[in-house]
Amino acid sequence: TAGECVPPVERAPGATFRIGYQGTRNHGHDLSMIVPQIIRTLDAAPEATFELFGTIETPRALDRFGDRIVRHGAISDYEVFLDCLKPLGWHVGLAPLRTLEFNTFRTYTKWVEYTIAGVPMIASPGVVYEGVLADGAGIIAPDDGWADAILTLRADENARLSMAAMAQARLLSSCSLDQMEAQILHVLRAAGAKISI
């Protein structure tokens, strides 16, 4: 089913290295923050592709990479979306977030989605992802450190696979439906919503 974890995709030396980002159009300002780092990565790793999934627009600065930029259209049904994310075979998933007050109210849903699909995550510093990525379950990258983080996972297959496995173990131990419901309710209440159960 959509919620069952799949193992991370193993990669033979020299095979395509798939870097993924899943998001909606309103995350364009977050993605734009790391576009120079994506360019640096694609220049350094000629076998790498960058894949976008959802309504997020392709940054024009990536046009020169041609078919190394891959698009997957938005899917509105959530279970179908998860079932489509899993077989994409991404080797790393990105989650940039600008330092904005609005972004402090986000949940780590993208980490859950990537983790179910066996995709280790690189994310921005801040309250959203630091807890779930701690202790080797992912990488927190500063604005100028994304290319180095991606290239590290490209070069160290064992570290990449171990990171994905650690994230999945954390997901299974700490993200029950009850825990996720409590997190969502906390965010809604912090935002001022009147919730009664």
Side-chain angles (χ1 to χ4, degrees):
T1 66
E4 293 176 350
C5 291
V6 296
V9 174
E10 296 189 21
R11 174 177 169 263
T16 300
F17 186 72
R18 295 181 175 86
I19 306 158
Y21 177 78
Q22 181 276 107
T24 56
R25 185 173 281 108
N26 65 355
H27 281 283
H29 64 287
D30 293 317
L31 180 60
S32 68
M33 175 178 72
I34 64 164
V35 165
Q37 294 288 303
I38 294 169
I39 291 170
R40 187 180 146 212
T41 301
L42 294 175
D43 282 338
E47 82 290 2
T49 59
F50 181 59
E51 304 192 14
L52 295 158
F53 190 176
T55 58
I56 186 78
E57 294 179 3
T58 304
R60 295 298 303 272
L62 300 179
D63 287 351
R64 71 178 175 92
F65 293 102
D67 62 6
R68 292 176 65 198
I69 308 301
V70 180
R71 295 237 24 135
H72 305 281
I75 297 173
S76 58
D77 182 289
Y78 192 66
E79 287 204 14
V80 174
F81 155 72
L82 286 176
D83 283 336
C84 290
L85 179 63
K86 292 176 183 181
L88 294 181
W90 289 354
H91 298 103
V92 63
L94 309 183
L97 281 177
R98 286 191 182 272
T99 307
L100 303 171
E101 183 178 4
F102 177 77
N103 282 340
T104 66
F105 292 106
R106 294 190 178 277
T107 64
Y108 49 72
T109 305
K110 192 184 301 292
W111 172 76
V112 172
E113 294 162 349
Y114 285 169
T115 299
I116 287 172
V119 180
M121 175 187 267
I122 301 171
S124 295
V127 297
V128 179
Y129 296 116
E130 287 195 356
V132 291
L133 298 187
D135 305 318
I139 297 176
I140 298 293
D143 292 352
D144 62 353
W146 289 75
D148 289 340
I150 296 167
L151 293 171
T152 294
L153 293 182
R154 166 184 172 252
D156 192 338
E157 177 75 353
N158 289 334
R160 188 183 67 80
L161 296 174
S162 174
M163 186 176 293
M166 191 174 300
Q168 289 186 335
R170 176 165 291 159
L171 177 69
L172 294 173
S173 68
S174 65
C175 292
S176 68
L177 286 177
D178 287 344
Q179 290 166 316
M180 295 302 288
E181 179 185 37
Q183 183 192 28
I184 291 168
L185 291 174
H186 171 74
V187 170
L188 291 173
R189 288 185 179 119
K194 304 294 185 200
I195 307 282
S196 61
I197 298 180

